[in-house]
Amino acid sequence: MTYNDQFIRACRKQEVNHIPAWYMRQAGRYDPEYRKIKEKYSLLEICEQPELAAEVTLMPVRKLGVDAAILYSDIMNPVASIGVDFDIVKNIGPVIDNPIRSSADVEKLRPIDVEGDLGHVLETIRILDRELSVPLITFAGAPFTIASYLIEGRPSKNYLRTKEMMYSEPKVWFSLMDKLGDMVITYLRAHVANGGKAFQLFDSWVGALSPRDFQTYVLPTVTRIFSELQDLNVPKIYFPGVSSGELLPTLTNLQADVIGLDWRVSISEGRNRLNGRFAVQGNLDPTVLTGPMEVIKQYAKDIIDQGIQEPGFVFNLGHGLFPEASLDKLRELTSYIHEYSAEALKVSARP
């Protein structure tokens, strides 16, 4: 089996034959076959069945021709192991039975037991390591994003209780950050030990913070995560989520390889704000996929043209795929990214 390493090479700012592409939430509800599986099993039930979770992870690789797989899982999965009861409720998201509101609540959290509680996730990774001909990206939710669910009790628009704890109970906040940071480090290390070829830290909602608050209350823990995982010889991606463009200049000392960008900042501007230190990933607005194919290709072309100006670019979306996305359009988009970028890279390489 030939192994497609274009994604790994791009993450390391090495020469590529074409711009690699994968899509956040590429294993998901836009696929009719996946929707049929979801009629029978919940997300968490799929995750608990390694053969099924591996098959769902493989489906978009086969159907779309993407250059990387992303583990079918959920950022909340490891939280159960540290002592938090939750459910993923349809049309809402994670819902916490007993939200964390006090130091006593934080003290109750126990260290993660990946082998004991999450062995099914590790078995899924091992199956995929045998089956895939592209790299497997595993992932974890970043401490702020996980904390926002644990404190609010469900998804939030204003993060009122989360910020209240940050400002009013900083000792409790930092204690929670420390415990979640430990959880993430242990979880991702186990992923790589079992066959993960790259990992992404999803901080989907940290763009709700000002740069000052991010630097004060969140960045120290994110920095520690990447620092403590620095010995792992795999690409490390930080995605600071939506509306995070103002945070990019604060990331320049992070020991990551790739920074994911949302669509509000161009690839060129994102690189400028990051001082050119990282490979970058992104950043098509997912809703562009509602348009006709010629419009989608024009947006993709603009992103690729910026991406190939410097080594180190991975094509992705600025956030996750949505259920109404078209599988046929995604397949055609992936082919276009490969074909157009291959030719554009040849042209740019000519003297």
Side-chain angles (χ1 to χ4, degrees):
M1 180 172 16
T2 56
Y3 189 77
N4 172 0
D5 68 346
Q6 297 297 293
F7 166 76
I8 301 289
R9 295 182 64 82
C11 290
R12 291 178 170 156
K13 294 189 173 184
Q14 296 170 347
E15 187 177 333
V16 293
N17 298 325
H18 64 259
I19 294 301
W22 70 278
Y23 308 111
M24 288 183 279
R25 292 196 196 133
Q26 67 187 19
R29 290 170 293 171
Y30 68 91
D31 183 347
E33 187 180 357
Y34 173 76
R35 287 201 294 270
K36 286 183 181 177
I37 293 170
K38 280 299 295 292
E39 287 173 9
K40 190 172 182 182
Y41 302 107
S42 71
L43 186 156
L44 296 177
E45 288 170 338
I46 295 171
C47 292
E48 288 166 0
Q49 301 176 68
E51 293 284 351
L52 183 57
E55 176 58 28
V56 173
T57 303
L58 283 160
M59 280 161 46
V61 178
R62 298 191 191 113
K63 295 180 182 184
L64 304 179
V66 287
D67 298 276
I70 182 151
L71 179 69
Y72 183 83
S73 188
D74 190 87
I75 63 169
M76 295 298 288
N77 264 341
V79 170
S81 181
I82 67 172
V84 177
D85 293 325
F86 70 93
D87 193 14
I88 307 292
V89 179
K90 187 176 180 180
N91 299 324
I92 296 176
V95 175
I96 313 299
D97 291 337
N98 297 297
I100 289 176
R101 300 283 165 78
S102 68
S103 59
D105 294 333
V106 175
E107 285 166 14
K108 289 176 187 173
L109 300 177
R110 57 182 181 260
I112 189 172
D113 179 0
V114 185
E115 294 283 350
D117 296 330
L118 298 158
H120 53 279
V121 175
L122 302 183
E123 177 58 21
T124 304
I125 293 170
R126 289 192 289 266
I127 293 169
L128 290 164
D129 190 36
R130 296 192 295 269
E131 297 290 326
L132 281 166
S133 59
V134 297
L136 173 66
I137 306 165
T138 71
F139 66 90
F144 175 84
T145 292
I146 296 292
S148 74
Y149 292 130
L150 300 188
I151 297 166
E152 303 288 340
R154 59 181 53 213
S156 172
K157 290 184 177 178
N158 57 22
Y159 306 96
L160 188 65
R161 290 184 179 274
T162 306
K163 293 185 178 185
E164 180 184 15
M165 183 184 286
M166 278 171 26
Y167 301 139
S168 304
E169 301 283 351
K171 287 185 179 179
V172 178
W173 172 261
F174 285 116
S175 177
L176 178 58
M177 286 291 100
D178 286 344
K179 291 203 172 191
L180 294 177
D182 291 342
M183 178 192 79
V184 167
I185 291 163
T186 304
Y187 189 53
L188 290 175
R189 190 171 285 283
H191 287 181
V192 174
N194 284 274
K197 298 296 185 285
F199 66 75
Q200 177 159 308
L201 188 65
F202 278 91
D203 219 346
S204 305
W205 313 127
V206 80
L209 299 182
S210 69
R212 174 182 172 175
D213 285 349
F214 175 70
Q215 286 182 283
T216 302
Y217 296 105
V218 177
L219 185 57
T221 307
V222 173
T223 299
R224 179 169 74 89
I225 290 168
F226 284 101
S227 176
E228 293 198 22
L229 296 174
Q230 192 58 26
D231 61 299
L232 300 178
N233 187 29
V234 298
K236 304 162 187 70
I237 308 167
Y238 181 54
F239 177 55
V242 294
S243 303
S244 57
E246 297 303 315
L247 306 183
L248 297 178
T250 71
L251 302 179
T252 53
N253 292 320
L254 212 58
Q255 290 180 285
D257 302 290
V258 186
I259 303 296
L261 305 176
D262 90 330
W263 62 92
R264 295 166 179 83
V265 176
S266 69
I267 298 297
S268 299
E269 178 59 21
R271 280 177 167 148
N272 287 338
R273 294 185 187 187
L274 293 164
N275 289 340
R277 277 217 48 235
F278 308 94
V280 292
Q281 176 179 278
N283 68 338
L284 183 71
D285 180 345
T287 60
V288 171
L289 295 168
T290 63
M293 206 61 224
E294 60 267 25
V295 173
I296 297 170
K297 288 180 179 179
Q298 187 56 51
Y299 274 84
K301 178 182 182 298
D302 183 52
I303 290 168
I304 294 164
D305 287 344
Q306 294 178 59
I308 64 172
Q309 294 303 308
E310 297 176 29
F313 175 62
V314 175
F315 192 100
N316 206 310
L317 307 176
H319 203 227
L321 280 168
F322 51 92
E324 295 81 6
S326 159
L327 186 127
D328 290 337
K329 285 181 180 179
L330 282 166
R331 185 186 294 118
E332 189 172 348
L333 171 61
T334 309
S335 295
Y336 175 77
I337 293 162
H338 289 162
E339 291 163 12
Y340 175 73
S341 67
E343 188 56 38
L345 286 166
K346 284 179 190 172
V347 171
S348 67
R350 288 172 192 159

